[in-house]
Amino acid sequence: MPVRRAAVLGSPIAHSLSPVLHNAAYAALGLEGEWQYGRFEVDEDALPGFLSGLDVAGEGWAGLSLTMPLKRAVIPLLDEVSAGALAVDAVNTVVFHPDGRRTGDNTDVPGLVAALRERGVEKVASAAVLGAGATASSALAALGQVCDGPVLAFVRGPERAAQMRALGERLGVDVVPEEWDRATMAFDAELVISTTPAGATDHLAEAVPEQPGALFDVLYHPWPTPLAAAWARRDGVVLGGLDLLVHQAVLQFRAFTGLADADVVDAMRAAGQAAL
């Protein structure tokens, strides 16, 4: 029986921590001789050829993790896509089945929810999202399960505001777009999810209130961000990109291996912290 294989695809991909996390989970469960996880530089143009060139059965392929720019491009190449992934128009997990089917799912959304739950954030009355990219879509979907009230979305420009409002309607989330230059208003919410690139929120750090709620800043390098550091100094709950990366990877690990109850959170987190 061949070694079972999984890998992460994307472009660029050299920075990905996914191999570190998944291989640490294999080691923690004594599976390192049976499973291996790698990475491949694959862009949108190369993706169809990469998938069709895989000898899934012969090479022992169990599944793939996908990062940018492949999360949307892979959808038409799959036999089945979960409702959750279709809702945010993003697949980050592909599972290969014995009958030849390729199915797609999104573990970012449940990963966000699981990370928040781990830190005691299960239900909030108000929330805010900073940014309007792909991760903001996952954040809105997660907030549909976590937030009982409206979600303020701080974005740049009317086009992104319209996109976030439309996504909210599709997800059943009451999204209220706000202009980016009013982003400090977000800090009145019980939960703030920052999905912006490095440096975009640095100027907001000095506006963190005396008693902040919870902050989920999806960046993990460099860490902490100035915003996360200021939040921690005020004794607010702070989650980072590694929390999301670990919890979504745990769900991928379980999907690939079939070990639905595998508890590998601590092993993955320790490996990720060491790598960073």
Side-chain angles (χ1 to χ4, degrees), residues 209-260:
E210 287 292 333
Q211 295 182 307
L215 170 70
F216 202 145
D217 190 329
V218 302
L219 294 171
Y220 61 83
H221 183 72
W223 186 260
T225 64
L227 180 60
W231 210 275
R233 286 195 296 271
R234 300 290 194 188
D235 294 324
V237 173
V238 177
L239 296 90
L242 185 59
D243 294 293
L244 171 57
L245 197 60
V246 165
H247 279 279
Q248 65 82 28
V250 167
L251 296 172
Q252 290 183 335
F253 175 90
R254 292 171 179 169
F256 296 157
T257 63
L259 300 173

Short mmCIF file of all heavy atoms in Angstrom, two decimals, residues 209-260:
data_model
loop_
_atom_site.label_atom_id
_atom_site.label_comp_id
_atom_site.label_asym_id
_atom_site.label_seq_id
_atom_site.Cartn_x
_atom_site.Cartn_y
_atom_site.Cartn_z
N PRO A 209 -9.95 50.95 22.79
CA PRO A 209 -10.57 51.49 24.01
C PRO A 209 -10.02 50.84 25.28
O PRO A 209 -9.30 49.84 25.23
CB PRO A 209 -12.05 51.16 23.83
CG PRO A 209 -12.06 49.97 22.92
CD PRO A 209 -10.91 50.15 21.99
N GLU A 210 -10.37 51.42 26.41
CA GLU A 210 -9.88 50.93 27.71
C GLU A 210 -10.34 49.50 28.00
O GLU A 210 -9.60 48.71 28.57
CB GLU A 210 -10.38 51.86 28.83
CG GLU A 210 -9.69 53.20 28.89
CD GLU A 210 -8.23 53.07 29.31
OE1 GLU A 210 -7.89 52.11 30.02
OE2 GLU A 210 -7.43 53.94 28.92
N GLN A 211 -11.55 49.17 27.60
CA GLN A 211 -12.08 47.83 27.86
C GLN A 211 -12.60 47.23 26.55
O GLN A 211 -13.82 47.21 26.31
CB GLN A 211 -13.20 47.89 28.90
CG GLN A 211 -12.71 48.34 30.28
CD GLN A 211 -13.83 48.35 31.31
OE1 GLN A 211 -14.87 48.95 31.10
NE2 GLN A 211 -13.61 47.64 32.42
N PRO A 212 -11.69 46.74 25.72
CA PRO A 212 -12.11 46.21 24.43
C PRO A 212 -12.75 44.82 24.57
O PRO A 212 -12.58 44.14 25.58
CB PRO A 212 -10.79 46.11 23.65
CG PRO A 212 -9.76 45.86 24.71
CD PRO A 212 -10.23 46.65 25.92
N GLY A 213 -13.48 44.44 23.54
CA GLY A 213 -14.05 43.09 23.50
C GLY A 213 -13.02 42.09 23.01
O GLY A 213 -11.91 42.03 23.54
N ALA A 214 -13.36 41.34 21.97
CA ALA A 214 -12.44 40.35 21.41
C ALA A 214 -11.99 40.80 20.02
O ALA A 214 -12.77 41.37 19.25
CB ALA A 214 -13.13 38.99 21.31
N LEU A 215 -10.72 40.54 19.73
CA LEU A 215 -10.14 40.85 18.41
C LEU A 215 -9.63 39.57 17.79
O LEU A 215 -8.87 38.82 18.42
CB LEU A 215 -8.98 41.84 18.54
CG LEU A 215 -8.15 42.05 17.27
CD1 LEU A 215 -8.95 42.81 16.22
CD2 LEU A 215 -6.84 42.79 17.59
N PHE A 216 -10.05 39.30 16.54
CA PHE A 216 -9.48 38.20 15.76
C PHE A 216 -8.77 38.84 14.57
O PHE A 216 -9.40 39.29 13.63
CB PHE A 216 -10.59 37.27 15.27
CG PHE A 216 -10.13 35.88 14.92
CD1 PHE A 216 -10.94 34.79 15.17
CD2 PHE A 216 -8.89 35.65 14.34
CE1 PHE A 216 -10.53 33.49 14.86
CE2 PHE A 216 -8.46 34.37 14.02
CZ PHE A 216 -9.29 33.28 14.28
N ASP A 217 -7.44 38.93 14.65
CA ASP A 217 -6.62 39.50 13.59
C ASP A 217 -6.04 38.33 12.81
O ASP A 217 -5.23 37.56 13.34
CB ASP A 217 -5.51 40.36 14.19
CG ASP A 217 -4.77 41.19 13.15
OD1 ASP A 217 -4.66 40.73 11.99
OD2 ASP A 217 -4.31 42.29 13.48
N VAL A 218 -6.43 38.15 11.55
CA VAL A 218 -6.11 36.92 10.83
C VAL A 218 -4.66 36.84 10.34
O VAL A 218 -4.26 35.84 9.75
CB VAL A 218 -7.06 36.70 9.64
CG1 VAL A 218 -8.50 36.64 10.11
CG2 VAL A 218 -6.87 37.77 8.58
N LEU A 219 -3.87 37.87 10.59
CA LEU A 219 -2.44 37.80 10.22
C LEU A 219 -1.68 36.94 11.23
O LEU A 219 -2.06 36.86 12.40
CB LEU A 219 -1.84 39.20 10.20
CG LEU A 219 -2.38 40.14 9.11
CD1 LEU A 219 -1.86 41.55 9.32
CD2 LEU A 219 -2.01 39.64 7.72
N TYR A 220 -0.61 36.27 10.77
CA TYR A 220 0.22 35.52 11.71
C TYR A 220 1.71 35.85 11.57
O TYR A 220 2.52 35.40 12.38
CB TYR A 220 0.01 34.00 11.57
CG TYR A 220 0.33 33.40 10.22
CD1 TYR A 220 1.64 33.06 9.88
CD2 TYR A 220 -0.66 33.13 9.30
CE1 TYR A 220 1.95 32.49 8.66
CE2 TYR A 220 -0.38 32.55 8.08
CZ TYR A 220 0.92 32.24 7.76
OH TYR A 220 1.22 31.67 6.54
N HIS A 221 2.04 36.65 10.54
CA HIS A 221 3.44 37.06 10.41
C HIS A 221 3.48 38.41 9.72
O HIS A 221 2.93 38.56 8.63
CB HIS A 221 4.24 36.03 9.59
CG HIS A 221 5.70 36.38 9.49
ND1 HIS A 221 6.56 36.26 10.56
CD2 HIS A 221 6.43 36.84 8.46
CE1 HIS A 221 7.77 36.63 10.17
NE2 HIS A 221 7.71 36.99 8.91
N PRO A 222 4.08 39.44 10.35
CA PRO A 222 4.67 39.39 11.70
C PRO A 222 3.59 39.41 12.77
O PRO A 222 2.49 39.93 12.56
CB PRO A 222 5.50 40.68 11.74
CG PRO A 222 4.77 41.62 10.82
CD PRO A 222 4.22 40.76 9.71
N TRP A 223 3.93 38.83 13.91
CA TRP A 223 2.99 38.76 15.04
C TRP A 223 3.70 39.10 16.34
O TRP A 223 4.83 38.67 16.52
CB TRP A 223 2.38 37.35 15.14
CG TRP A 223 1.31 37.28 16.18
CD1 TRP A 223 1.43 36.79 17.45
CD2 TRP A 223 -0.04 37.74 16.07
NE1 TRP A 223 0.25 36.92 18.13
CE2 TRP A 223 -0.68 37.50 17.30
CE3 TRP A 223 -0.76 38.35 15.04
CZ2 TRP A 223 -2.00 37.85 17.54
CZ3 TRP A 223 -2.07 38.68 15.28
CH2 TRP A 223 -2.69 38.43 16.51
N PRO A 224 3.04 39.86 17.21
CA PRO A 224 1.71 40.43 17.04
C PRO A 224 1.72 41.67 16.16
O PRO A 224 2.73 42.37 16.08
CB PRO A 224 1.31 40.78 18.47
CG PRO A 224 2.61 41.12 19.14
CD PRO A 224 3.61 40.17 18.54
N THR A 225 0.62 41.95 15.52
CA THR A 225 0.47 43.22 14.82
C THR A 225 0.37 44.33 15.86
O THR A 225 0.04 44.08 17.02
CB THR A 225 -0.81 43.22 13.97
OG1 THR A 225 -1.95 43.10 14.83
CG2 THR A 225 -0.82 42.06 12.97
N PRO A 226 0.65 45.57 15.46
CA PRO A 226 0.49 46.67 16.42
C PRO A 226 -0.93 46.72 17.01
O PRO A 226 -1.09 47.01 18.20
CB PRO A 226 0.79 47.91 15.58
CG PRO A 226 1.78 47.42 14.57
CD PRO A 226 1.32 46.03 14.22
N LEU A 227 -1.94 46.42 16.21
CA LEU A 227 -3.31 46.42 16.72
C LEU A 227 -3.51 45.32 17.76
O LEU A 227 -4.08 45.56 18.82
CB LEU A 227 -4.31 46.24 15.57
CG LEU A 227 -5.79 46.22 15.96
CD1 LEU A 227 -6.19 47.54 16.63
CD2 LEU A 227 -6.66 45.94 14.74
N ALA A 228 -3.02 44.12 17.46
CA ALA A 228 -3.16 43.01 18.41
C ALA A 228 -2.39 43.30 19.70
O ALA A 228 -2.87 42.98 20.80
CB ALA A 228 -2.67 41.72 17.77
N ALA A 229 -1.21 43.89 19.58
CA ALA A 229 -0.41 44.20 20.77
C ALA A 229 -1.11 45.23 21.65
O ALA A 229 -1.16 45.10 22.89
CB ALA A 229 0.96 44.72 20.35
N ALA A 230 -1.68 46.27 21.02
CA ALA A 230 -2.41 47.28 21.78
C ALA A 230 -3.64 46.67 22.44
O ALA A 230 -3.98 47.00 23.59
CB ALA A 230 -2.82 48.43 20.85
N TRP A 231 -4.31 45.77 21.76
CA TRP A 231 -5.50 45.10 22.30
C TRP A 231 -5.12 44.27 23.53
O TRP A 231 -5.81 44.30 24.55
CB TRP A 231 -6.09 44.20 21.23
CG TRP A 231 -7.58 44.01 21.32
CD1 TRP A 231 -8.25 43.10 22.09
CD2 TRP A 231 -8.58 44.73 20.60
NE1 TRP A 231 -9.60 43.20 21.89
CE2 TRP A 231 -9.84 44.20 20.99
CE3 TRP A 231 -8.55 45.76 19.67
CZ2 TRP A 231 -11.04 44.67 20.46
CZ3 TRP A 231 -9.74 46.24 19.15
CH2 TRP A 231 -10.97 45.70 19.55
N ALA A 232 -4.01 43.55 23.42
CA ALA A 232 -3.57 42.71 24.54
C ALA A 232 -3.19 43.56 25.75
O ALA A 232 -3.44 43.16 26.89
CB ALA A 232 -2.39 41.85 24.09
N ARG A 233 -2.59 44.71 25.50
CA ARG A 233 -2.23 45.60 26.62
C ARG A 233 -3.46 46.07 27.37
O ARG A 233 -3.38 46.39 28.56
CB ARG A 233 -1.42 46.80 26.11
CG ARG A 233 0.02 46.46 25.73
CD ARG A 233 0.87 47.71 25.57
NE ARG A 233 0.43 48.55 24.49
CZ ARG A 233 0.86 48.44 23.22
NH1 ARG A 233 1.73 47.48 22.90
NH2 ARG A 233 0.41 49.26 22.29
N ARG A 234 -4.60 46.13 26.70
CA ARG A 234 -5.85 46.53 27.34
C ARG A 234 -6.60 45.30 27.92
O ARG A 234 -7.74 45.43 28.35
CB ARG A 234 -6.76 47.23 26.33
CG ARG A 234 -6.18 48.49 25.71
CD ARG A 234 -6.07 49.61 26.70
NE ARG A 234 -5.83 50.89 26.02
CZ ARG A 234 -5.54 52.02 26.64
NH1 ARG A 234 -5.45 52.03 27.95
NH2 ARG A 234 -5.34 53.13 25.96
N ASP A 235 -5.93 44.15 27.90
CA ASP A 235 -6.50 42.91 28.44
C ASP A 235 -7.73 42.42 27.68
O ASP A 235 -8.59 41.73 28.23
CB ASP A 235 -6.87 43.07 29.93
CG ASP A 235 -5.64 43.27 30.80
OD1 ASP A 235 -4.60 42.65 30.49
OD2 ASP A 235 -5.71 44.07 31.75
N GLY A 236 -7.81 42.75 26.40
CA GLY A 236 -8.87 42.20 25.56
C GLY A 236 -8.50 40.81 25.06
O GLY A 236 -7.32 40.44 25.04
N VAL A 237 -9.49 40.03 24.69
CA VAL A 237 -9.24 38.70 24.11
C VAL A 237 -8.66 38.89 22.71
O VAL A 237 -9.22 39.64 21.89
CB VAL A 237 -10.54 37.89 24.03
CG1 VAL A 237 -10.32 36.58 23.28
CG2 VAL A 237 -11.09 37.62 25.42
N VAL A 238 -7.53 38.24 22.42
CA VAL A 238 -6.86 38.38 21.13
C VAL A 238 -6.63 37.01 20.51
O VAL A 238 -6.05 36.12 21.14
CB VAL A 238 -5.51 39.11 21.27
CG1 VAL A 238 -4.81 39.18 19.91
CG2 VAL A 238 -5.70 40.51 21.83
N LEU A 239 -7.10 36.85 19.27
CA LEU A 239 -6.79 35.67 18.48
C LEU A 239 -6.03 36.12 17.24
O LEU A 239 -6.23 37.23 16.74
CB LEU A 239 -8.06 34.94 18.04
CG LEU A 239 -8.94 34.32 19.12
CD1 LEU A 239 -9.99 35.32 19.60
CD2 LEU A 239 -9.63 33.06 18.61
N GLY A 240 -5.16 35.24 16.74
CA GLY A 240 -4.35 35.58 15.59
C GLY A 240 -4.51 34.60 14.45
O GLY A 240 -5.24 33.60 14.54
N GLY A 241 -3.80 34.88 13.37
CA GLY A 241 -3.88 34.04 12.19
C GLY A 241 -3.50 32.60 12.43
O GLY A 241 -4.03 31.69 11.77
N LEU A 242 -2.60 32.35 13.38
CA LEU A 242 -2.21 30.97 13.66
C LEU A 242 -3.39 30.19 14.23
O LEU A 242 -3.53 28.99 13.96
CB LEU A 242 -1.02 30.93 14.61
CG LEU A 242 -0.45 29.53 14.89
CD1 LEU A 242 0.02 28.85 13.60
CD2 LEU A 242 0.71 29.59 15.90
N ASP A 243 -4.23 30.86 15.03
CA ASP A 243 -5.42 30.19 15.56
C ASP A 243 -6.32 29.70 14.42
O ASP A 243 -6.81 28.57 14.44
CB ASP A 243 -6.20 31.14 16.48
CG ASP A 243 -5.44 31.50 17.73
OD1 ASP A 243 -5.21 30.60 18.57
OD2 ASP A 243 -5.05 32.66 17.87
N LEU A 244 -6.54 30.58 13.44
CA LEU A 244 -7.36 30.19 12.28
C LEU A 244 -6.68 29.09 11.48
O LEU A 244 -7.30 28.10 11.10
CB LEU A 244 -7.61 31.40 11.39
CG LEU A 244 -8.28 31.12 10.04
CD1 LEU A 244 -9.61 30.40 10.22
CD2 LEU A 244 -8.45 32.41 9.25
N LEU A 245 -5.38 29.26 11.23
CA LEU A 245 -4.64 28.30 10.43
C LEU A 245 -4.70 26.91 11.05
O LEU A 245 -4.93 25.89 10.37
CB LEU A 245 -3.19 28.76 10.28
CG LEU A 245 -2.37 28.12 9.16
CD1 LEU A 245 -3.00 28.39 7.81
CD2 LEU A 245 -0.94 28.65 9.20
N VAL A 246 -4.53 26.84 12.37
CA VAL A 246 -4.54 25.56 13.06
C VAL A 246 -5.92 24.92 13.01
O VAL A 246 -6.06 23.75 12.65
CB VAL A 246 -4.07 25.73 14.52
CG1 VAL A 246 -4.42 24.50 15.35
CG2 VAL A 246 -2.57 25.98 14.57
N HIS A 247 -6.94 25.68 13.34
CA HIS A 247 -8.27 25.07 13.43
C HIS A 247 -8.81 24.65 12.06
O HIS A 247 -9.47 23.61 11.96
CB HIS A 247 -9.24 26.00 14.15
CG HIS A 247 -9.10 25.95 15.64
ND1 HIS A 247 -9.68 24.96 16.41
CD2 HIS A 247 -8.42 26.74 16.51
CE1 HIS A 247 -9.38 25.15 17.68
NE2 HIS A 247 -8.61 26.23 17.78
N GLN A 248 -8.52 25.42 11.01
CA GLN A 248 -8.98 24.97 9.69
C GLN A 248 -8.15 23.77 9.23
O GLN A 248 -8.67 22.87 8.56
CB GLN A 248 -8.94 26.12 8.67
CG GLN A 248 -7.59 26.69 8.32
CD GLN A 248 -6.84 25.88 7.28
OE1 GLN A 248 -7.44 25.20 6.45
NE2 GLN A 248 -5.52 25.94 7.33
N ALA A 249 -6.87 23.71 9.63
CA ALA A 249 -6.02 22.58 9.25
C ALA A 249 -6.44 21.29 9.97
O ALA A 249 -6.35 20.20 9.40
CB ALA A 249 -4.55 22.88 9.54
N VAL A 250 -6.88 21.41 11.22
CA VAL A 250 -7.37 20.24 11.94
C VAL A 250 -8.55 19.61 11.19
O VAL A 250 -8.63 18.39 11.03
CB VAL A 250 -7.80 20.63 13.37
CG1 VAL A 250 -8.59 19.50 14.02
CG2 VAL A 250 -6.57 20.96 14.22
N LEU A 251 -9.45 20.45 10.70
CA LEU A 251 -10.61 19.95 9.96
C LEU A 251 -10.18 19.30 8.65
O LEU A 251 -10.75 18.29 8.23
CB LEU A 251 -11.60 21.08 9.72
CG LEU A 251 -12.22 21.69 10.99
CD1 LEU A 251 -13.04 22.93 10.65
CD2 LEU A 251 -13.07 20.68 11.72
N GLN A 252 -9.17 19.87 7.98
CA GLN A 252 -8.64 19.25 6.77
C GLN A 252 -8.00 17.90 7.09
O GLN A 252 -8.22 16.91 6.38
CB GLN A 252 -7.61 20.17 6.12
CG GLN A 252 -8.19 21.42 5.50
CD GLN A 252 -7.14 22.25 4.80
OE1 GLN A 252 -5.95 22.19 5.13
NE2 GLN A 252 -7.56 23.05 3.83
N PHE A 253 -7.21 17.87 8.15
CA PHE A 253 -6.55 16.63 8.56
C PHE A 253 -7.57 15.52 8.77
O PHE A 253 -7.39 14.38 8.32
CB PHE A 253 -5.77 16.88 9.85
CG PHE A 253 -5.14 15.66 10.46
CD1 PHE A 253 -3.86 15.27 10.11
CD2 PHE A 253 -5.83 14.89 11.40
CE1 PHE A 253 -3.28 14.13 10.66
CE2 PHE A 253 -5.26 13.76 11.95
CZ PHE A 253 -3.98 13.38 11.58
N ARG A 254 -8.66 15.84 9.45
CA ARG A 254 -9.69 14.84 9.71
C ARG A 254 -10.36 14.40 8.42
O ARG A 254 -10.66 13.21 8.24
CB ARG A 254 -10.73 15.41 10.68
CG ARG A 254 -10.19 15.64 12.08
CD ARG A 254 -11.18 16.40 12.94
NE ARG A 254 -10.68 16.60 14.30
CZ ARG A 254 -11.25 17.41 15.20
NH1 ARG A 254 -12.34 18.10 14.86
NH2 ARG A 254 -10.74 17.53 16.41
N ALA A 255 -10.59 15.33 7.50
CA ALA A 255 -11.22 14.99 6.22
C ALA A 255 -10.32 14.10 5.38
O ALA A 255 -10.78 13.14 4.74
CB ALA A 255 -11.57 16.26 5.45
N PHE A 256 -9.02 14.39 5.36
CA PHE A 256 -8.09 13.60 4.56
C PHE A 256 -7.88 12.20 5.13
O PHE A 256 -7.86 11.21 4.40
CB PHE A 256 -6.72 14.31 4.47
CG PHE A 256 -6.75 15.65 3.77
CD1 PHE A 256 -5.76 16.59 4.01
CD2 PHE A 256 -7.76 15.97 2.87
CE1 PHE A 256 -5.77 17.82 3.37
CE2 PHE A 256 -7.77 17.20 2.22
CZ PHE A 256 -6.78 18.12 2.48
N THR A 257 -7.70 12.13 6.44
CA THR A 257 -7.34 10.84 7.07
C THR A 257 -8.55 9.99 7.43
O THR A 257 -8.41 8.78 7.63
CB THR A 257 -6.52 11.07 8.35
OG1 THR A 257 -7.34 11.78 9.30
CG2 THR A 257 -5.25 11.86 8.07
N GLY A 258 -9.71 10.62 7.56
CA GLY A 258 -10.88 9.90 8.04
C GLY A 258 -10.91 9.74 9.54
O GLY A 258 -11.82 9.10 10.08
N LEU A 259 -9.94 10.34 10.25
CA LEU A 259 -9.88 10.26 11.71
C LEU A 259 -10.70 11.42 12.29
O LEU A 259 -10.17 12.45 12.68
CB LEU A 259 -8.43 10.33 12.19
CG LEU A 259 -7.51 9.21 11.66
CD1 LEU A 259 -6.06 9.46 12.06
CD2 LEU A 259 -7.98 7.86 12.19
N ALA A 260 -12.00 11.21 12.33
CA ALA A 260 -12.93 12.30 12.64
C ALA A 260 -12.78 12.87 14.04
O ALA A 260 -13.17 14.01 14.30
CB ALA A 260 -14.37 11.83 12.42
#
